[in-house]
Coordinates of all heavy atoms in Angstrom, one line a residue:
M9 N -35.5 27.2 17.4 CA -35.0 26.6 16.1 C -33.6 26.2 16.2 O -33.2 25.1 15.7 CB -35.3 27.6 15.0 CG -35.0 27.1 13.6 SD -36.2 25.9 13.2 CE -35.9 25.7 11.5
K10 N -32.8 27.0 16.9 CA -31.3 26.7 17.0 C -31.2 25.5 17.9 O -30.3 24.6 17.6 CB -30.6 27.9 17.6 CG -29.1 27.7 17.7 CD -28.5 29.0 18.2 CE -27.0 28.8 18.2 NZ -26.3 30.0 18.6
T11 N -32.0 25.3 18.9 CA -31.9 24.1 19.7 C -32.2 22.8 18.9 O -31.5 21.8 19.1 CB -32.9 24.2 20.9 OG1 -32.6 25.5 21.6 CG2 -32.7 23.1 21.9
V12 N -33.1 22.9 18.0 CA -33.5 21.7 17.2 C -32.3 21.4 16.3 O -32.0 20.2 16.1 CB -34.8 22.0 16.4 CG1 -35.0 20.9 15.4 CG2 -36.0 22.2 17.3
K13 N -31.7 22.4 15.7 CA -30.5 22.1 14.8 C -29.4 21.5 15.6 O -28.8 20.5 15.1 CB -30.1 23.4 14.2 CG -31.0 23.9 13.1 CD -30.4 25.2 12.4 CE -31.4 25.7 11.4 NZ -30.8 26.9 10.8
V14 N -29.1 22.0 16.8 CA -28.1 21.4 17.6 C -28.4 20.0 18.0 O -27.5 19.1 18.0 CB -27.8 22.3 18.9 CG1 -26.9 21.6 19.8 CG2 -27.3 23.7 18.5
L15 N -29.6 19.7 18.3 CA -30.1 18.4 18.7 C -29.9 17.4 17.6 O -29.4 16.3 17.7 CB -31.5 18.4 19.2 CG -32.1 17.1 19.6 CD1 -31.3 16.5 20.8 CD2 -33.6 17.2 20.0
L16 N -30.4 17.9 16.4 CA -30.3 17.0 15.2 C -28.8 16.7 14.8 O -28.4 15.6 14.4 CB -31.0 17.6 14.0 CG -32.5 17.6 14.1 CD1 -33.2 18.4 12.9 CD2 -33.1 16.2 14.2
A17 N -28.0 17.8 14.9 CA -26.5 17.6 14.7 C -25.9 16.6 15.6 O -25.1 15.7 15.2 CB -25.8 18.9 14.7
G18 N -26.3 16.7 16.9 CA -25.8 15.7 17.9 C -26.3 14.3 17.6 O -25.5 13.4 17.7
I19 N -27.5 14.1 17.2 CA -28.0 12.8 16.9 C -27.3 12.2 15.7 O -26.9 11.1 15.7 CB -29.5 12.8 16.7 CG1 -30.2 13.1 18.0 CG2 -30.0 11.5 16.1 CD1 -31.7 13.4 17.9
G20 N -27.1 13.1 14.7 CA -26.4 12.7 13.5 C -25.0 12.2 13.8 O -24.5 11.2 13.3
A21 N -24.3 13.0 14.6 CA -22.9 12.6 15.0 C -22.9 11.3 15.7 O -22.0 10.5 15.5 CB -22.3 13.8 15.8
A22 N -23.8 11.1 16.6 CA -23.9 9.9 17.4 C -24.1 8.7 16.5 O -23.5 7.6 16.7 CB -25.0 10.0 18.5
I23 N -25.0 8.8 15.5 CA -25.2 7.7 14.6 C -24.0 7.5 13.7 O -23.5 6.3 13.6 CB -26.4 8.0 13.7 CG1 -27.7 8.0 14.5 CG2 -26.5 7.1 12.5 CD1 -28.9 8.5 13.8
L24 N -23.3 8.5 13.3 CA -22.1 8.4 12.4 C -21.0 7.7 13.2 O -20.4 6.7 12.6 CB -21.7 9.8 12.0 CG -20.4 9.8 11.2 CD1 -20.6 9.2 9.8 CD2 -19.9 11.3 11.0
F25 N -20.8 8.0 14.4 CA -19.7 7.4 15.2 C -20.0 6.1 15.7 O -19.1 5.3 16.0 CB -19.2 8.4 16.3 CG -18.5 9.6 15.8 CD1 -19.1 10.8 16.0 CD2 -17.3 9.5 15.1 CE1 -18.4 12.0 15.6 CE2 -16.7 10.6 14.6 CZ -17.2 11.9 14.8
S26 N -21.3 5.7 15.8 CA -21.7 4.4 16.3 C -21.6 3.3 15.2 O -21.5 2.2 15.5 CB -23.1 4.4 16.9 OG -24.0 4.6 15.9
V27 N -21.6 3.7 14.0 CA -21.5 2.8 12.8 C -20.2 2.2 12.7 O -20.0 1.0 12.4 CB -22.0 3.5 11.5 CG1 -21.7 2.6 10.3 CG2 -23.4 3.9 11.6
G28 N -19.1 3.0 13.0 CA -17.7 2.5 12.9 C -17.1 2.7 11.6 O -17.8 3.2 10.6
P29 N -15.9 2.4 11.4 CA -15.2 2.7 10.2 C -15.6 1.7 9.1 O -16.1 0.6 9.3 CB -13.7 2.4 10.5 CG -13.7 1.6 11.8 CD -15.0 1.9 12.4
N30 N -15.5 2.2 7.9 CA -15.9 1.5 6.7 C -14.9 0.3 6.5 O -13.7 0.4 6.6 CB -15.7 2.4 5.5 CG -16.2 1.8 4.2 OD1 -16.0 0.6 4.0 ND2 -16.8 2.7 3.3
T31 N -15.5 -0.9 6.1 CA -14.7 -2.1 6.0 C -13.7 -1.9 4.8 O -12.6 -2.5 4.9 CB -15.6 -3.3 5.7 OG1 -16.9 -2.9 5.4 CG2 -15.4 -4.3 6.8
A32 N -14.0 -1.2 3.8 CA -13.1 -1.0 2.7 C -11.9 -0.2 3.2 O -10.8 -0.5 2.7 CB -13.8 -0.2 1.5
V33 N -12.1 0.7 4.1 CA -10.9 1.4 4.6 C -10.1 0.5 5.5 O -8.9 0.5 5.4 CB -11.4 2.7 5.4 CG1 -10.3 3.3 6.1 CG2 -12.1 3.7 4.5
Q34 N -10.8 -0.3 6.3 CA -10.0 -1.3 7.1 C -9.2 -2.2 6.3 O -8.1 -2.6 6.6 CB -11.0 -2.1 8.0 CG -11.6 -1.3 9.1 CD -12.7 -2.1 9.8 OE1 -13.2 -3.1 9.3 NE2 -12.9 -1.7 11.0
A35 N -9.7 -2.6 5.1 CA -9.0 -3.5 4.3 C -7.7 -2.9 3.6 O -6.9 -3.6 3.1 CB -9.9 -4.1 3.2
Q36 N -7.7 -1.6 3.7 CA -6.6 -0.9 3.0 C -5.4 -0.7 4.0 O -4.4 -0.1 3.6 CB -7.0 0.5 2.6 CG -8.0 0.5 1.5 CD -7.4 0.1 0.2 OE1 -6.3 0.5 -0.1 NE2 -8.2 -0.6 -0.6
T37 N -5.4 -1.1 5.2 CA -4.3 -0.9 6.1 C -3.4 -2.1 6.1 O -3.8 -3.2 5.7 CB -4.9 -0.7 7.6 OG1 -5.6 -1.9 8.0 CG2 -5.7 0.5 7.6
G38 N -2.2 -1.9 6.6 CA -1.2 -3.0 6.6 C -0.2 -3.0 5.5 O -0.4 -2.2 4.5
L39 N 0.7 -3.9 5.6 CA 1.8 -4.0 4.6 C 1.7 -5.4 3.9 O 1.4 -6.4 4.6 CB 3.2 -3.7 5.1 CG 3.4 -2.3 5.6 CD1 4.8 -2.2 6.3 CD2 3.3 -1.3 4.5
I40 N 2.1 -5.4 2.7 CA 2.1 -6.6 1.9 C 3.6 -6.8 1.4 O 4.2 -5.9 0.9 CB 1.2 -6.6 0.7 CG1 -0.3 -6.3 1.2 CG2 1.3 -7.8 -0.2 CD1 -0.9 -7.5 1.9
S41 N 4.1 -8.0 1.4 CA 5.4 -8.3 0.9 C 5.2 -8.6 -0.6 O 4.5 -9.5 -1.0 CB 5.9 -9.6 1.5 OG 7.2 -9.9 1.0
V42 N 5.7 -7.6 -1.4 CA 5.6 -7.7 -2.9 C 6.8 -8.3 -3.5 O 7.9 -7.7 -3.3 CB 5.2 -6.3 -3.5 CG1 5.1 -6.4 -5.0 CG2 4.0 -5.7 -2.8
D43 N 6.7 -9.4 -4.2 CA 7.8 -10.0 -4.9 C 8.1 -9.3 -6.2 O 7.1 -9.1 -7.0 CB 7.4 -11.5 -5.2 CG 8.6 -12.3 -5.7 OD1 9.3 -11.8 -6.6 OD2 8.8 -13.5 -5.3
L44 N 9.3 -8.8 -6.4 CA 9.6 -8.0 -7.5 C 10.3 -8.7 -8.7 O 10.6 -8.0 -9.7 CB 10.5 -6.8 -7.1 CG 10.0 -5.9 -5.9 CD1 11.0 -4.9 -5.5 CD2 8.7 -5.2 -6.4
R45 N 10.5 -10.0 -8.6 CA 11.3 -10.7 -9.6 C 10.8 -10.5 -11.0 O 11.6 -10.4 -11.9 CB 11.4 -12.2 -9.2 CG 12.3 -12.4 -8.0 CD 12.3 -13.9 -7.7 NE 11.0 -14.2 -7.1 CZ 10.7 -15.4 -6.7 NH1 11.6 -16.4 -6.8 NH2 9.5 -15.7 -6.2
N46 N 9.5 -10.5 -11.2 CA 8.9 -10.3 -12.5 C 9.0 -8.9 -13.1 O 8.9 -8.7 -14.3 CB 7.4 -10.7 -12.6 CG 7.2 -12.2 -12.4 OD1 8.1 -13.0 -12.6 ND2 6.0 -12.5 -12.0
V47 N 9.3 -7.9 -12.3 CA 9.3 -6.5 -12.7 C 10.6 -5.8 -12.4 O 10.7 -4.6 -12.6 CB 8.1 -5.8 -12.2 CG1 6.8 -6.3 -12.7 CG2 8.1 -5.7 -10.6
A48 N 11.6 -6.6 -12.0 CA 12.9 -5.9 -11.5 C 13.5 -5.1 -12.7 O 14.0 -4.0 -12.4 CB 13.8 -7.0 -11.0
N49 N 13.5 -5.6 -13.9 CA 14.1 -4.9 -15.0 C 13.4 -3.6 -15.3 O 14.0 -2.6 -15.5 CB 14.1 -5.8 -16.3 CG 15.1 -6.9 -16.2 OD1 16.2 -6.7 -15.7 ND2 14.8 -8.0 -16.8
D50 N 12.0 -3.6 -15.2 CA 11.2 -2.4 -15.4 C 11.5 -1.4 -14.4 O 11.7 -0.2 -14.7 CB 9.7 -2.7 -15.5 CG 9.4 -3.7 -16.7 OD1 10.0 -3.6 -17.7 OD2 8.4 -4.4 -16.5
I51 N 11.5 -1.8 -13.1 CA 11.8 -0.9 -12.0 C 13.2 -0.3 -12.1 O 13.4 0.9 -11.9 CB 11.6 -1.6 -10.7 CG1 10.1 -1.9 -10.5 CG2 12.0 -0.6 -9.5 CD1 9.8 -2.8 -9.2
A52 N 14.2 -1.1 -12.5 CA 15.5 -0.6 -12.6 C 15.6 0.5 -13.7 O 16.3 1.5 -13.5 CB 16.5 -1.8 -12.9
K53 N 14.9 0.3 -14.8 CA 14.9 1.3 -15.8 C 14.2 2.6 -15.4 O 14.6 3.7 -15.6 CB 14.2 0.8 -17.1 CG 15.0 -0.3 -17.8 CD 14.2 -0.8 -19.0 CE 14.9 -1.9 -19.7 NZ 14.1 -2.6 -20.7
D54 N 13.1 2.4 -14.6 CA 12.3 3.5 -14.2 C 13.1 4.4 -13.2 O 12.9 5.6 -13.2 CB 11.0 3.0 -13.4 CG 10.0 2.4 -14.4 OD1 10.1 2.6 -15.6 OD2 9.0 1.8 -13.9
I55 N 13.8 3.8 -12.3 CA 14.5 4.6 -11.3 C 16.0 4.7 -11.6 O 16.8 5.3 -10.8 CB 14.3 4.0 -9.9 CG1 14.9 2.6 -9.8 CG2 12.9 4.0 -9.5 CD1 14.8 2.0 -8.3
N56 N 16.4 4.2 -12.8 CA 17.8 4.4 -13.3 C 18.9 3.8 -12.4 O 19.8 4.5 -12.0 CB 18.0 5.9 -13.6 CG 19.2 6.1 -14.5 OD1 19.5 5.3 -15.3 ND2 19.9 7.3 -14.4
V57 N 18.7 2.6 -12.1 CA 19.7 1.8 -11.3 C 20.0 0.5 -12.0 O 19.2 0.1 -12.8 CB 19.3 1.6 -9.8 CG1 19.1 2.9 -9.1 CG2 18.1 0.7 -9.7
D58 N 21.1 -0.1 -11.6 CA 21.4 -1.5 -12.1 C 20.4 -2.5 -11.5 O 20.0 -2.4 -10.3 CB 22.8 -1.9 -11.6 CG 23.2 -3.2 -12.3 OD1 23.8 -3.1 -13.4 OD2 23.0 -4.2 -11.7
V59 N 19.9 -3.4 -12.3 CA 18.9 -4.4 -11.9 C 19.4 -5.2 -10.7 O 18.6 -5.6 -9.9 CB 18.5 -5.3 -13.1 CG1 19.6 -6.3 -13.4 CG2 17.2 -6.0 -12.8
N60 N 20.7 -5.3 -10.5 CA 21.2 -6.1 -9.4 C 20.9 -5.3 -8.0 O 21.0 -6.0 -7.0 CB 22.7 -6.3 -9.5 CG 23.0 -7.2 -10.7 OD1 22.2 -8.1 -11.0 ND2 24.1 -7.0 -11.3
Q61 N 20.6 -4.1 -8.1 CA 20.3 -3.3 -6.9 C 18.8 -3.5 -6.4 O 18.5 -3.1 -5.3 CB 20.6 -1.8 -7.1 CG 22.1 -1.5 -7.2 CD 22.3 0.0 -7.4 OE1 22.2 0.5 -8.5 NE2 22.5 0.7 -6.3
I62 N 18.0 -4.0 -7.3 CA 16.6 -4.2 -7.0 C 16.4 -5.3 -6.0 O 16.9 -6.4 -6.3 CB 15.8 -4.4 -8.3 CG1 16.0 -3.3 -9.3 CG2 14.3 -4.6 -7.9 CD1 15.5 -2.0 -8.9
P63 N 15.8 -5.1 -4.8 CA 15.6 -6.1 -3.9 C 14.6 -7.1 -4.4 O 13.8 -6.8 -5.2 CB 15.1 -5.4 -2.6 CG 14.5 -4.1 -3.1 CD 15.3 -3.8 -4.4
P64 N 14.7 -8.4 -3.9 CA 13.7 -9.4 -4.4 C 12.3 -9.1 -3.9 O 11.3 -9.4 -4.6 CB 14.2 -10.7 -3.8 CG 15.2 -10.3 -2.7 CD 15.7 -8.9 -3.0
T65 N 12.1 -8.5 -2.8 CA 10.8 -8.1 -2.2 C 10.9 -6.8 -1.5 O 12.0 -6.4 -1.1 CB 10.3 -9.2 -1.2 OG1 11.1 -9.2 -0.1 CG2 10.1 -10.5 -1.9
V66 N 9.7 -6.1 -1.4 CA 9.6 -4.9 -0.6 C 8.3 -5.0 0.1 O 7.4 -5.7 -0.3 CB 9.6 -3.6 -1.4 CG1 11.0 -3.4 -2.1 CG2 8.5 -3.6 -2.5
Q67 N 8.2 -4.2 1.2 CA 6.9 -4.1 2.0 C 6.2 -2.9 1.4 O 6.7 -1.8 1.4 CB 7.2 -3.9 3.5 CG 7.9 -5.1 4.1 CD 7.0 -6.3 4.1 OE1 5.9 -6.2 4.6 NE2 7.5 -7.5 3.7
A68 N 5.0 -3.1 0.9 CA 4.2 -2.0 0.3 C 2.8 -2.0 1.0 O 2.3 -3.0 1.4 CB 4.1 -2.3 -1.2
P69 N 2.3 -0.8 1.0 CA 0.9 -0.7 1.5 C -0.1 -1.5 0.6 O 0.2 -1.7 -0.6 CB 0.6 0.8 1.4 CG 1.9 1.5 1.3 CD 2.8 0.5 0.6
V70 N -1.2 -1.9 1.2 CA -2.2 -2.6 0.5 C -2.6 -1.9 -0.8 O -2.7 -2.6 -1.9 CB -3.4 -2.9 1.4 CG1 -4.6 -3.5 0.6 CG2 -3.0 -3.8 2.5
S71 N -2.7 -0.6 -0.8 CA -3.2 0.1 -1.9 C -2.2 0.0 -3.1 O -2.6 -0.2 -4.3 CB -3.4 1.6 -1.6 OG -2.2 2.2 -1.1
V72 N -0.9 0.0 -2.8 CA 0.1 -0.2 -3.9 C 0.1 -1.6 -4.4 O 0.1 -1.9 -5.6 CB 1.5 0.3 -3.4 CG1 2.6 0.0 -4.4 CG2 1.5 1.7 -3.0
A73 N 0.1 -2.6 -3.4 CA 0.1 -4.0 -3.8 C -1.1 -4.4 -4.6 O -0.9 -5.2 -5.6 CB 0.2 -4.9 -2.5
T74 N -2.2 -3.8 -4.3 CA -3.4 -4.1 -5.1 C -3.2 -3.7 -6.6 O -3.5 -4.5 -7.5 CB -4.6 -3.3 -4.5 OG1 -4.9 -3.8 -3.2 CG2 -5.9 -3.5 -5.4
L75 N -2.6 -2.6 -6.7 CA -2.4 -2.0 -8.1 C -1.4 -2.9 -8.9 O -1.6 -3.2 -10.0 CB -1.9 -0.6 -8.0 CG -1.6 0.1 -9.3 CD1 -2.9 0.3 -10.1 CD2 -1.0 1.5 -9.0
V76 N -0.2 -3.2 -8.3 CA 0.8 -3.8 -9.0 C 0.7 -5.4 -9.1 O 1.3 -6.0 -10.0 CB 2.2 -3.5 -8.5 CG1 2.4 -2.0 -8.6 CG2 2.4 -4.0 -7.0
C77 N -0.1 -5.9 -8.2 CA -0.3 -7.4 -8.2 C -1.6 -7.8 -8.8 O -1.8 -9.0 -9.1 CB -0.2 -7.9 -6.7 SG 1.4 -7.7 -6.0
G78 N -2.5 -6.9 -8.9 CA -3.8 -7.2 -9.5 C -4.7 -8.1 -8.7 O -5.5 -8.9 -9.2
I79 N -4.6 -7.9 -7.3 CA -5.4 -8.7 -6.4 C -6.3 -7.7 -5.6 O -5.8 -6.6 -5.3 CB -4.5 -9.5 -5.4 CG1 -3.7 -10.5 -6.2 CG2 -5.3 -10.2 -4.3 CD1 -2.6 -11.2 -5.4
A80 N -7.5 -8.0 -5.4 CA -8.5 -7.2 -4.7 C -7.9 -6.7 -3.3 O -7.3 -7.5 -2.6 CB -9.8 -7.8 -4.5
A81 N -8.2 -5.4 -3.0 CA -7.8 -4.8 -1.8 C -8.3 -5.6 -0.5 O -7.6 -5.7 0.5 CB -8.2 -3.4 -1.7
D82 N -9.6 -6.1 -0.6 CA -10.1 -6.8 0.6 C -9.4 -8.1 0.8 O -9.1 -8.5 2.0 CB -11.6 -7.0 0.4 CG -12.0 -7.8 -0.8 OD1 -11.3 -7.9 -1.8 OD2 -13.1 -8.4 -0.8
V83 N -8.9 -8.8 -0.2 CA -8.2 -10.0 -0.1 C -6.8 -9.7 0.5 O -6.4 -10.4 1.5 CB -8.0 -10.7 -1.5 CG1 -7.1 -11.9 -1.4 CG2 -9.4 -11.1 -2.0
L84 N -6.1 -8.7 0.0 CA -4.8 -8.4 0.5 C -4.9 -7.8 1.9 O -4.0 -8.0 2.7 CB -4.1 -7.4 -0.4 CG -3.6 -8.0 -1.8 CD1 -3.0 -6.9 -2.6 CD2 -2.6 -9.1 -1.5
G85 N -5.9 -7.0 2.1 CA -6.2 -6.5 3.5 C -6.3 -7.5 4.5 O -5.8 -7.4 5.6
A86 N -7.1 -8.6 4.2 CA -7.3 -9.7 5.1 C -5.9 -10.4 5.4 O -5.6 -10.8 6.5 CB -8.3 -10.7 4.6
Q87 N -5.1 -10.6 4.3 CA -3.8 -11.2 4.5 C -2.9 -10.3 5.4 O -2.2 -10.9 6.2 CB -3.1 -11.4 3.1 CG -3.7 -12.5 2.3 CD -3.0 -12.6 0.9 OE1 -2.0 -12.0 0.7 NE2 -3.6 -13.5 0.1
A88 N -2.9 -9.0 5.1 CA -2.1 -8.1 5.9 C -2.5 -8.2 7.4 O -1.7 -8.2 8.3 CB -2.2 -6.7 5.3
A89 N -3.8 -8.2 7.6 CA -4.3 -8.3 9.0 C -3.8 -9.5 9.7 O -3.6 -9.5 10.9 CB -5.8 -8.2 9.0
S90 N -3.7 -10.6 9.0 CA -3.2 -11.9 9.6 C -1.7 -12.0 9.6 O -1.2 -13.0 10.1 CB -3.9 -13.1 8.9 OG -3.3 -13.2 7.6
G91 N -1.0 -11.0 9.0 CA 0.4 -11.0 9.0 C 1.0 -11.9 7.9 O 2.2 -12.2 7.9
T92 N 0.2 -12.4 6.9 CA 0.7 -13.3 5.9 C 0.6 -12.7 4.5 O 0.6 -13.4 3.5 CB 0.0 -14.6 5.9 OG1 -1.4 -14.3 5.6 CG2 0.1 -15.3 7.2
G93 N 0.5 -11.4 4.4 CA 0.3 -10.7 3.1 C 1.4 -10.8 2.2 O 2.5 -10.3 2.5
S94 N 1.2 -11.4 1.0 CA 2.3 -11.4 0.0 C 1.6 -11.5 -1.4 O 0.5 -12.1 -1.5 CB 3.3 -12.5 0.2 OG 2.7 -13.8 0.1
C95 N 2.4 -11.0 -2.4 CA 1.9 -11.2 -3.8 C 3.1 -11.0 -4.7 O 4.1 -10.5 -4.4 CB 0.8 -10.2 -4.1 SG 1.2 -8.5 -4.1
M96 N 2.9 -11.5 -6.0 CA 3.9 -11.3 -7.0 C 3.5 -10.1 -7.9 O 2.4 -10.1 -8.4 CB 3.9 -12.6 -7.9 CG 4.8 -12.5 -9.1 SD 6.6 -12.7 -8.6 CE 6.7 -14.4 -8.2
A97 N 4.4 -9.2 -8.0 CA 4.1 -8.0 -8.9 C 3.9 -8.4 -10.3 O 4.8 -9.2 -10.8 CB 5.2 -6.9 -8.7
R98 N 2.9 -7.9 -11.0 CA 2.7 -8.2 -12.4 C 3.0 -6.9 -13.2 O 3.0 -7.0 -14.4 CB 1.2 -8.5 -12.6 CG 0.8 -9.8 -12.0 CD -0.6 -10.1 -12.2 NE -1.0 -11.4 -11.6 CZ -2.2 -11.9 -11.7 NH1 -3.1 -11.3 -12.4 NH2 -2.4 -13.1 -11.2
G99 N 3.1 -5.8 -12.5 CA 3.4 -4.5 -13.1 C 4.1 -3.6 -12.1 O 4.3 -4.1 -11.0
T100 N 4.3 -2.4 -12.5 CA 4.9 -1.5 -11.6 C 4.1 -0.2 -11.5 O 3.2 0.0 -12.3 CB 6.4 -1.2 -11.9 OG1 7.0 -0.5 -10.9 CG2 6.6 -0.5 -13.2
S101 N 4.4 0.7 -10.7 CA 3.8 2.0 -10.6 C 4.8 3.0 -10.0 O 5.8 2.6 -9.5 CB 2.6 1.9 -9.6 OG 3.0 1.8 -8.3
S102 N 4.5 4.3 -10.1 CA 5.4 5.2 -9.5 C 5.5 5.1 -8.0 O 6.6 5.3 -7.4 CB 5.0 6.7 -9.9 OG 3.7 6.9 -9.4
A103 N 4.5 4.7 -7.3 CA 4.5 4.4 -5.9 C 5.4 3.3 -5.6 O 6.2 3.4 -4.6 CB 3.1 4.2 -5.4
L104 N 5.3 2.2 -6.3 CA 6.2 1.0 -6.1 C 7.7 1.4 -6.4 O 8.6 1.1 -5.6 CB 5.8 -0.2 -6.9 CG 6.6 -1.4 -6.7 CD1 6.5 -1.9 -5.3 CD2 6.2 -2.5 -7.7
D105 N 7.9 2.1 -7.5 CA 9.2 2.6 -7.8 C 9.8 3.4 -6.7 O 11.0 3.2 -6.3 CB 9.2 3.5 -9.1 CG 8.9 2.7 -10.4 OD1 8.9 1.4 -10.3 OD2 8.6 3.3 -11.4
Q106 N 9.0 4.3 -6.1 CA 9.5 5.1 -5.0 C 9.8 4.2 -3.7 O 10.9 4.5 -3.1 CB 8.5 6.2 -4.6 CG 9.0 7.2 -3.6 CD 10.2 7.9 -4.1 OE1 10.2 8.5 -5.2 NE2 11.3 7.9 -3.3
I107 N 9.0 3.2 -3.5 CA 9.3 2.3 -2.3 C 10.6 1.6 -2.5 O 11.4 1.5 -1.6 CB 8.1 1.3 -2.1 CG1 6.9 2.1 -1.7 CG2 8.5 0.2 -1.2 CD1 5.6 1.2 -1.7
V108 N 10.8 1.1 -3.8 CA 12.1 0.4 -4.1 C 13.3 1.4 -4.0 O 14.3 1.0 -3.3 CB 12.0 -0.2 -5.5 CG1 13.4 -0.8 -5.9 CG2 10.9 -1.3 -5.5
L109 N 13.1 2.5 -4.5 CA 14.2 3.5 -4.4 C 14.6 3.9 -3.0 O 15.7 3.9 -2.6 CB 13.9 4.8 -5.2 CG 14.9 5.8 -5.4 CD1 16.2 5.3 -6.1 CD2 14.4 7.0 -6.2
D110 N 13.6 4.1 -2.2 CA 13.8 4.4 -0.8 C 14.5 3.2 -0.1 O 15.4 3.5 0.7 CB 12.5 4.7 0.0 CG 11.8 6.0 -0.5 OD1 12.5 6.8 -1.1 OD2 10.6 6.1 -0.2
Q111 N 14.1 2.0 -0.4 CA 14.8 0.9 0.2 C 16.3 0.8 -0.2 O 17.1 0.5 0.6 CB 14.1 -0.5 -0.1 CG 14.7 -1.6 0.6 CD 13.9 -2.9 0.6 OE1 12.7 -2.8 0.6 NE2 14.5 -4.0 0.6
I112 N 16.5 1.0 -1.5 CA 17.9 1.0 -2.0 C 18.7 2.1 -1.3 O 19.9 1.8 -0.9 CB 17.9 1.2 -3.5 CG1 17.4 0.0 -4.2 CG2 19.3 1.5 -4.0 CD1 17.1 0.2 -5.7
K113 N 18.2 3.2 -1.1 CA 18.9 4.3 -0.4 C 19.2 3.9 1.0 O 20.3 4.2 1.5 CB 18.1 5.6 -0.5 CG 18.0 6.3 -1.8 CD 17.2 7.5 -1.8 CE 17.1 8.2 -3.2 NZ 16.3 9.4 -3.2
R114 N 18.2 3.3 1.7 CA 18.4 2.9 3.1 C 19.5 1.8 3.2 O 20.4 1.8 4.1 CB 17.2 2.3 3.7 CG 16.2 3.4 4.2 CD 15.1 2.8 5.1 NE 14.4 1.7 4.4 CZ 13.3 1.9 3.6 NH1 12.9 3.1 3.3 NH2 12.7 0.8 3.1
M115 N 19.6 0.9 2.2 CA 20.6 -0.2 2.2 C 22.0 0.4 1.9 O 22.9 -0.1 2.4 CB 20.2 -1.2 1.2 CG 18.9 -2.0 1.5 SD 18.8 -2.7 3.1 CE 20.0 -4.0 2.9
T116 N 22.1 1.4 1.1 CA 23.4 1.9 0.7 C 24.0 2.8 1.8 O 25.2 3.0 1.9 CB 23.4 2.7 -0.6 OG1 22.4 3.8 -0.5 CG2 23.0 1.8 -1.8
K117 N 23.1 3.2 2.8 CA 23.6 4.0 3.9 C 24.2 3.1 5.0 O 24.8 3.6 5.9 CB 22.5 4.9 4.5 CG 22.1 6.0 3.6 CD 21.0 6.9 4.2 CE 20.6 8.0 3.3 NZ 19.6 8.8 3.9
M118 N 23.8 1.9 5.0 CA 24.3 1.0 6.0 C 25.7 0.6 5.9 O 26.5 0.6 5.1 CB 23.5 -0.3 6.1 CG 22.0 -0.1 6.4 SD 21.1 -1.6 6.4 CE 20.0 -1.3 7.7

């Protein structure tokens, strides 16, 4: 009985690994250039900095760009894969606020 369980587990693992990664997960990789001009005032208020410190664009993961730009992850994922990913932010999120804050901190250290 133990041999049958081991054999079935091995077959199951072989099938699982032969299928490959999920395409939805593949679409979530890469960075998107997010234009912040429409939301710069909101982000400045959220992170308590002067609006002049907000960069015009930031590089954000597909998952964040999908949320703030309102574009499907598979569309942005395809753009990111081709190296042309960009979108205009229509809103903000705590993740985007953190990306902007991190970039401001890096720029002030230079």
Side-chain angles (χ1 to χ4, degrees):
M9 186 69 165
K10 186 175 182 178
T11 306
V12 173
K13 287 182 182 179
V14 171
L15 179 62
L16 289 175
I19 292 171
I23 291 170
L24 178 66
F25 290 116
S26 68
V27 172
N30 184 326
T31 11
V33 173
Q34 288 176 338
Q36 294 287 325
T37 60
L39 294 175
I40 300 294
S41 178
V42 178
D43 188 318
L44 304 175
R45 290 178 287 179
N46 288 343
V47 296
N49 287 324
D50 295 331
I51 294 172
K53 288 177 188 175
D54 290 346
I55 63 175
N56 199 27
V57 298
D58 187 88
V59 71
N60 294 326
Q61 291 181 278
I62 305 297
T65 61
V66 293
Q67 296 293 311
V70 171
S71 58
V72 174
T74 295
L75 180 66
V76 300
C77 295
I79 299 174
D82 59 338
V83 173
L84 290 177
Q87 288 181 7
S90 69
T92 62
S94 66
C95 67
M96 176 74 73
R98 296 180 179 181
T100 189
S101 70
S102 58
L104 181 63
D105 290 347
Q106 188 61 52
I107 291 167
V108 172
L109 186 57
D110 290 345
Q111 183 168 328
I112 290 170
K113 287 178 180 177
R114 280 193 306 274
M115 296 305 292
T116 56
K117 288 182 181 179
M118 295 180 146

